[in-house]
Amino acid sequence: METNHFQSLNEYVYVIQQSIGATAAATYIIQNDVVVNEWYSGTHEASDASRLVDEKTQFNVASIRKTYLALAVSLLIEQGKIGSVDDEIGQYLNDYKDAARGVTLRDLLTHTHGLIEENGKIAREFPAGYGWAYRNTGIGMLFQIVRHISGQNLSSFMASHVFNQYGLKETGWRTKAAEQLLYNYYDDEDTWVGPNDSDAGDQSNLFVSARDLAMWGHMHLKNGNVNGKQLLPQTVFARATTLHTPLTVPSHLPRNGFIWWLQSDTPLNQIGEHLPSDAYQVLGITGCACLVIPSCDAVVVRMYNQLQDSSGYDYLYDIRKFGNMAYDLLRSYGGAR
């Protein structure tokens, strides 16, 4: 559905779609357990004759995938297979006992580990827990930990423990082209997954429909209780969206839960200044975003298939403005608690 109330937000998303060269866009908003805005724009490829974007379209969500990894870690903690977020990673991955000595799961989950890979070796940018840097080195280690502890790769673990229970049928790591999969438009070429992509869940080939991504946010908003059913313990979701950044990290740097960005007053923050302190969000390089606002009992999703370097485009300004607009419209539509 689409209501005129959110027309200005959809129009803004369309303007940005044109400015960044994306062929496709979508918005999806749930408030008070009701879909209050559902909007689609564009085509799967650059050609006007290409398939139109619709509710079945699955976007490549890029780094949003990392929150799926985060939930797997939280579930392994719940199952008692991980003792604590303050366990050193060498306790689970023997290969890193020396190179990552003193680095904990908390550090990996909040981008405060200070590790970087150089010439095939692990080096340190800063002492763990005393800085912040968005690096995939820690993400790769978390994938290894999930596989080592669970005995399953991430995609299999999530399918068996989460996706099937919550009916996320339009979510998965894709390796073959299909009608519902949307291309990422980049430098006048249509691409979607590389030749080395696998279905293990350790690469950037997670595709999700707008409505499934909104359900992902809704699951977190409701701490796993969807349609009156508590399919996974509340603590699995609450843990993932609670502040876990070490207190030793300087206050001008971002704050994170398990991967999720939390509201904070920092220059790098992706969440708009209008939004309340309980808001949290995740963003991918393709332009897709999932914003959760508990004060409004709402989830806001934005989807693009953007990968090209658009001259003059300020992604931080854009994502903050998008969040601010969504929050202001939600407050006037369904109110805030």
Side-chain angles (χ1 to χ4, degrees), residues 162-182:
V162 182
F163 295 168
N164 293 340
Q165 286 87 327
Y166 286 92
L168 299 179
K169 298 179 180 179
E170 296 167 345
T171 300
W173 282 267
R174 312 303 188 194
T175 59
K176 296 181 181 179
E179 179 187 0
Q180 71 272 20
L181 300 184
L182 178 68

PDB file of all heavy atoms in Angstrom, residues 162-182:
ATOM      1  N   VAL A 162      16.508 -19.239  11.711  1.00  0.00           N
ATOM      2  CA  VAL A 162      15.797 -17.952  11.686  1.00  0.00           C
ATOM      3  C   VAL A 162      14.870 -17.806  10.478  1.00  0.00           C
ATOM      4  O   VAL A 162      13.669 -17.569  10.630  1.00  0.00           O
ATOM      5  CB  VAL A 162      16.798 -16.776  11.701  1.00  0.00           C
ATOM      6  CG1 VAL A 162      16.052 -15.435  11.734  1.00  0.00           C
ATOM      7  CG2 VAL A 162      17.738 -16.875  12.897  1.00  0.00           C
ATOM      8  N   PHE A 163      15.410 -17.927   9.271  1.00  0.00           N
ATOM      9  CA  PHE A 163      14.629 -17.628   8.070  1.00  0.00           C
ATOM     10  C   PHE A 163      13.374 -18.495   7.966  1.00  0.00           C
ATOM     11  O   PHE A 163      12.287 -17.997   7.657  1.00  0.00           O
ATOM     12  CB  PHE A 163      15.472 -17.810   6.809  1.00  0.00           C
ATOM     13  CG  PHE A 163      16.631 -16.854   6.686  1.00  0.00           C
ATOM     14  CD1 PHE A 163      17.612 -17.057   5.727  1.00  0.00           C
ATOM     15  CD2 PHE A 163      16.748 -15.743   7.519  1.00  0.00           C
ATOM     16  CE1 PHE A 163      18.680 -16.180   5.608  1.00  0.00           C
ATOM     17  CE2 PHE A 163      17.807 -14.866   7.416  1.00  0.00           C
ATOM     18  CZ  PHE A 163      18.783 -15.089   6.458  1.00  0.00           C
ATOM     19  N   ASN A 164      13.512 -19.784   8.193  1.00  0.00           N
ATOM     20  CA  ASN A 164      12.362 -20.686   8.063  1.00  0.00           C
ATOM     21  C   ASN A 164      11.295 -20.379   9.110  1.00  0.00           C
ATOM     22  O   ASN A 164      10.089 -20.388   8.812  1.00  0.00           O
ATOM     23  CB  ASN A 164      12.814 -22.143   8.190  1.00  0.00           C
ATOM     24  CG  ASN A 164      13.693 -22.587   7.032  1.00  0.00           C
ATOM     25  OD1 ASN A 164      13.682 -21.965   5.968  1.00  0.00           O
ATOM     26  ND2 ASN A 164      14.456 -23.648   7.224  1.00  0.00           N
ATOM     27  N   GLN A 165      11.730 -20.080  10.333  1.00  0.00           N
ATOM     28  CA  GLN A 165      10.774 -19.794  11.403  1.00  0.00           C
ATOM     29  C   GLN A 165       9.969 -18.523  11.120  1.00  0.00           C
ATOM     30  O   GLN A 165       8.776 -18.456  11.392  1.00  0.00           O
ATOM     31  CB  GLN A 165      11.496 -19.647  12.750  1.00  0.00           C
ATOM     32  CG  GLN A 165      11.977 -20.954  13.358  1.00  0.00           C
ATOM     33  CD  GLN A 165      13.364 -21.327  12.854  1.00  0.00           C
ATOM     34  OE1 GLN A 165      13.723 -21.032  11.714  1.00  0.00           O
ATOM     35  NE2 GLN A 165      14.142 -21.982  13.689  1.00  0.00           N
ATOM     36  N   TYR A 166      10.640 -17.497  10.583  1.00  0.00           N
ATOM     37  CA  TYR A 166       9.975 -16.216  10.383  1.00  0.00           C
ATOM     38  C   TYR A 166       9.459 -16.022   8.956  1.00  0.00           C
ATOM     39  O   TYR A 166       8.989 -14.941   8.611  1.00  0.00           O
ATOM     40  CB  TYR A 166      10.927 -15.074  10.765  1.00  0.00           C
ATOM     41  CG  TYR A 166      11.089 -14.942  12.267  1.00  0.00           C
ATOM     42  CD1 TYR A 166      12.111 -15.599  12.940  1.00  0.00           C
ATOM     43  CD2 TYR A 166      10.194 -14.174  13.019  1.00  0.00           C
ATOM     44  CE1 TYR A 166      12.257 -15.495  14.315  1.00  0.00           C
ATOM     45  CE2 TYR A 166      10.326 -14.067  14.391  1.00  0.00           C
ATOM     46  CZ  TYR A 166      11.355 -14.726  15.039  1.00  0.00           C
ATOM     47  OH  TYR A 166      11.492 -14.622  16.407  1.00  0.00           O
ATOM     48  N   GLY A 167       9.540 -17.040   8.141  1.00  0.00           N
ATOM     49  CA  GLY A 167       8.967 -16.977   6.799  1.00  0.00           C
ATOM     50  C   GLY A 167       9.671 -16.018   5.861  1.00  0.00           C
ATOM     51  O   GLY A 167       9.037 -15.429   4.981  1.00  0.00           O
ATOM     52  N   LEU A 168      10.978 -15.869   6.024  1.00  0.00           N
ATOM     53  CA  LEU A 168      11.748 -14.963   5.156  1.00  0.00           C
ATOM     54  C   LEU A 168      12.139 -15.706   3.878  1.00  0.00           C
ATOM     55  O   LEU A 168      13.273 -16.137   3.700  1.00  0.00           O
ATOM     56  CB  LEU A 168      12.975 -14.437   5.893  1.00  0.00           C
ATOM     57  CG  LEU A 168      12.694 -13.630   7.169  1.00  0.00           C
ATOM     58  CD1 LEU A 168      13.994 -13.187   7.827  1.00  0.00           C
ATOM     59  CD2 LEU A 168      11.815 -12.424   6.862  1.00  0.00           C
ATOM     60  N   LYS A 169      11.176 -15.826   2.985  1.00  0.00           N
ATOM     61  CA  LYS A 169      11.369 -16.601   1.756  1.00  0.00           C
ATOM     62  C   LYS A 169      12.018 -15.796   0.641  1.00  0.00           C
ATOM     63  O   LYS A 169      12.419 -16.360  -0.377  1.00  0.00           O
ATOM     64  CB  LYS A 169      10.019 -17.160   1.292  1.00  0.00           C
ATOM     65  CG  LYS A 169       9.369 -18.114   2.290  1.00  0.00           C
ATOM     66  CD  LYS A 169       8.033 -18.624   1.791  1.00  0.00           C
ATOM     67  CE  LYS A 169       7.401 -19.576   2.810  1.00  0.00           C
ATOM     68  NZ  LYS A 169       6.074 -20.072   2.344  1.00  0.00           N
ATOM     69  N   GLU A 170      12.098 -14.476   0.841  1.00  0.00           N
ATOM     70  CA  GLU A 170      12.705 -13.611  -0.184  1.00  0.00           C
ATOM     71  C   GLU A 170      14.032 -13.046   0.315  1.00  0.00           C
ATOM     72  O   GLU A 170      14.384 -11.910   0.041  1.00  0.00           O
ATOM     73  CB  GLU A 170      11.724 -12.488  -0.546  1.00  0.00           C
ATOM     74  CG  GLU A 170      10.463 -13.032  -1.191  1.00  0.00           C
ATOM     75  CD  GLU A 170       9.339 -12.005  -1.285  1.00  0.00           C
ATOM     76  OE1 GLU A 170       9.409 -10.957  -0.615  1.00  0.00           O
ATOM     77  OE2 GLU A 170       8.377 -12.256  -2.024  1.00  0.00           O
ATOM     78  N   THR A 171      14.743 -13.871   1.064  1.00  0.00           N
ATOM     79  CA  THR A 171      16.035 -13.515   1.645  1.00  0.00           C
ATOM     80  C   THR A 171      17.000 -14.670   1.435  1.00  0.00           C
ATOM     81  O   THR A 171      16.670 -15.810   1.758  1.00  0.00           O
ATOM     82  CB  THR A 171      15.899 -13.258   3.160  1.00  0.00           C
ATOM     83  OG1 THR A 171      14.990 -12.188   3.392  1.00  0.00           O
ATOM     84  CG2 THR A 171      17.245 -12.925   3.785  1.00  0.00           C
ATOM     85  N   GLY A 172      18.187 -14.394   0.881  1.00  0.00           N
ATOM     86  CA  GLY A 172      19.161 -15.473   0.737  1.00  0.00           C
ATOM     87  C   GLY A 172      20.403 -15.049  -0.021  1.00  0.00           C
ATOM     88  O   GLY A 172      20.402 -14.046  -0.742  1.00  0.00           O
ATOM     89  N   TRP A 173      21.466 -15.812   0.174  1.00  0.00           N
ATOM     90  CA  TRP A 173      22.720 -15.580  -0.552  1.00  0.00           C
ATOM     91  C   TRP A 173      22.593 -16.268  -1.907  1.00  0.00           C
ATOM     92  O   TRP A 173      22.535 -17.499  -1.985  1.00  0.00           O
ATOM     93  CB  TRP A 173      23.901 -16.122   0.247  1.00  0.00           C
ATOM     94  CG  TRP A 173      24.302 -15.218   1.364  1.00  0.00           C
ATOM     95  CD1 TRP A 173      25.249 -14.238   1.318  1.00  0.00           C
ATOM     96  CD2 TRP A 173      23.769 -15.167   2.695  1.00  0.00           C
ATOM     97  NE1 TRP A 173      25.338 -13.588   2.523  1.00  0.00           N
ATOM     98  CE2 TRP A 173      24.442 -14.132   3.390  1.00  0.00           C
ATOM     99  CE3 TRP A 173      22.778 -15.899   3.368  1.00  0.00           C
ATOM    100  CZ2 TRP A 173      24.163 -13.816   4.717  1.00  0.00           C
ATOM    101  CZ3 TRP A 173      22.499 -15.576   4.674  1.00  0.00           C
ATOM    102  CH2 TRP A 173      23.182 -14.556   5.346  1.00  0.00           C
ATOM    103  N   ARG A 174      22.548 -15.482  -2.976  1.00  0.00           N
ATOM    104  CA  ARG A 174      22.243 -15.997  -4.311  1.00  0.00           C
ATOM    105  C   ARG A 174      23.509 -16.166  -5.146  1.00  0.00           C
ATOM    106  O   ARG A 174      24.408 -15.320  -5.102  1.00  0.00           O
ATOM    107  CB  ARG A 174      21.279 -15.052  -5.034  1.00  0.00           C
ATOM    108  CG  ARG A 174      20.060 -14.614  -4.229  1.00  0.00           C
ATOM    109  CD  ARG A 174      19.231 -15.782  -3.721  1.00  0.00           C
ATOM    110  NE  ARG A 174      17.980 -15.323  -3.121  1.00  0.00           N
ATOM    111  CZ  ARG A 174      17.193 -16.082  -2.362  1.00  0.00           C
ATOM    112  NH1 ARG A 174      17.538 -17.328  -2.104  1.00  0.00           N
ATOM    113  NH2 ARG A 174      16.062 -15.606  -1.874  1.00  0.00           N
ATOM    114  N   THR A 175      23.531 -17.240  -5.914  1.00  0.00           N
ATOM    115  CA  THR A 175      24.678 -17.509  -6.778  1.00  0.00           C
ATOM    116  C   THR A 175      24.281 -17.660  -8.241  1.00  0.00           C
ATOM    117  O   THR A 175      25.151 -17.751  -9.105  1.00  0.00           O
ATOM    118  CB  THR A 175      25.395 -18.801  -6.333  1.00  0.00           C
ATOM    119  OG1 THR A 175      24.471 -19.902  -6.386  1.00  0.00           O
ATOM    120  CG2 THR A 175      25.936 -18.658  -4.913  1.00  0.00           C
ATOM    121  N   LYS A 176      22.996 -17.693  -8.520  1.00  0.00           N
ATOM    122  CA  LYS A 176      22.527 -17.829  -9.895  1.00  0.00           C
ATOM    123  C   LYS A 176      21.497 -16.752 -10.211  1.00  0.00           C
ATOM    124  O   LYS A 176      20.695 -16.380  -9.354  1.00  0.00           O
ATOM    125  CB  LYS A 176      21.913 -19.216 -10.117  1.00  0.00           C
ATOM    126  CG  LYS A 176      22.896 -20.368  -9.954  1.00  0.00           C
ATOM    127  CD  LYS A 176      22.223 -21.699 -10.206  1.00  0.00           C
ATOM    128  CE  LYS A 176      23.203 -22.861 -10.028  1.00  0.00           C
ATOM    129  NZ  LYS A 176      22.559 -24.182 -10.244  1.00  0.00           N
ATOM    130  N   ALA A 177      21.539 -16.269 -11.427  1.00  0.00           N
ATOM    131  CA  ALA A 177      20.581 -15.247 -11.847  1.00  0.00           C
ATOM    132  C   ALA A 177      19.160 -15.793 -11.793  1.00  0.00           C
ATOM    133  O   ALA A 177      18.921 -16.974 -12.037  1.00  0.00           O
ATOM    134  CB  ALA A 177      20.910 -14.783 -13.262  1.00  0.00           C
ATOM    135  N   ALA A 178      18.234 -14.936 -11.428  1.00  0.00           N
ATOM    136  CA  ALA A 178      16.822 -15.306 -11.382  1.00  0.00           C
ATOM    137  C   ALA A 178      15.990 -14.056 -11.653  1.00  0.00           C
ATOM    138  O   ALA A 178      16.456 -12.929 -11.451  1.00  0.00           O
ATOM    139  CB  ALA A 178      16.465 -15.902 -10.026  1.00  0.00           C
ATOM    140  N   GLU A 179      14.758 -14.255 -12.091  1.00  0.00           N
ATOM    141  CA  GLU A 179      13.906 -13.142 -12.505  1.00  0.00           C
ATOM    142  C   GLU A 179      13.741 -12.100 -11.420  1.00  0.00           C
ATOM    143  O   GLU A 179      13.720 -10.895 -11.692  1.00  0.00           O
ATOM    144  CB  GLU A 179      12.529 -13.670 -12.917  1.00  0.00           C
ATOM    145  CG  GLU A 179      11.556 -12.580 -13.332  1.00  0.00           C
ATOM    146  CD  GLU A 179      10.151 -13.088 -13.572  1.00  0.00           C
ATOM    147  OE1 GLU A 179       9.919 -14.307 -13.412  1.00  0.00           O
ATOM    148  OE2 GLU A 179       9.278 -12.266 -13.904  1.00  0.00           O
ATOM    149  N   GLN A 180      13.632 -12.516 -10.160  1.00  0.00           N
ATOM    150  CA  GLN A 180      13.341 -11.577  -9.082  1.00  0.00           C
ATOM    151  C   GLN A 180      14.571 -10.831  -8.580  1.00  0.00           C
ATOM    152  O   GLN A 180      14.451  -9.877  -7.808  1.00  0.00           O
ATOM    153  CB  GLN A 180      12.664 -12.302  -7.917  1.00  0.00           C
ATOM    154  CG  GLN A 180      13.565 -13.242  -7.133  1.00  0.00           C
ATOM    155  CD  GLN A 180      13.609 -14.645  -7.714  1.00  0.00           C
ATOM    156  OE1 GLN A 180      13.268 -14.837  -8.879  1.00  0.00           O
ATOM    157  NE2 GLN A 180      13.995 -15.627  -6.905  1.00  0.00           N
ATOM    158  N   LEU A 181      15.771 -11.252  -8.997  1.00  0.00           N
ATOM    159  CA  LEU A 181      16.991 -10.608  -8.521  1.00  0.00           C
ATOM    160  C   LEU A 181      17.280  -9.346  -9.317  1.00  0.00           C
ATOM    161  O   LEU A 181      17.231  -9.336 -10.547  1.00  0.00           O
ATOM    162  CB  LEU A 181      18.176 -11.564  -8.624  1.00  0.00           C
ATOM    163  CG  LEU A 181      18.066 -12.858  -7.827  1.00  0.00           C
ATOM    164  CD1 LEU A 181      19.363 -13.654  -7.948  1.00  0.00           C
ATOM    165  CD2 LEU A 181      17.745 -12.597  -6.370  1.00  0.00           C
ATOM    166  N   LEU A 182      17.625  -8.292  -8.584  1.00  0.00           N
ATOM    167  CA  LEU A 182      17.856  -6.983  -9.186  1.00  0.00           C
ATOM    168  C   LEU A 182      19.338  -6.759  -9.421  1.00  0.00           C
ATOM    169  O   LEU A 182      20.168  -7.032  -8.560  1.00  0.00           O
ATOM    170  CB  LEU A 182      17.306  -5.899  -8.250  1.00  0.00           C
ATOM    171  CG  LEU A 182      17.487  -4.447  -8.663  1.00  0.00           C
ATOM    172  CD1 LEU A 182      16.647  -4.134  -9.889  1.00  0.00           C
ATOM    173  CD2 LEU A 182      17.086  -3.540  -7.512  1.00  0.00           C
TER     174      LEU A 182
END
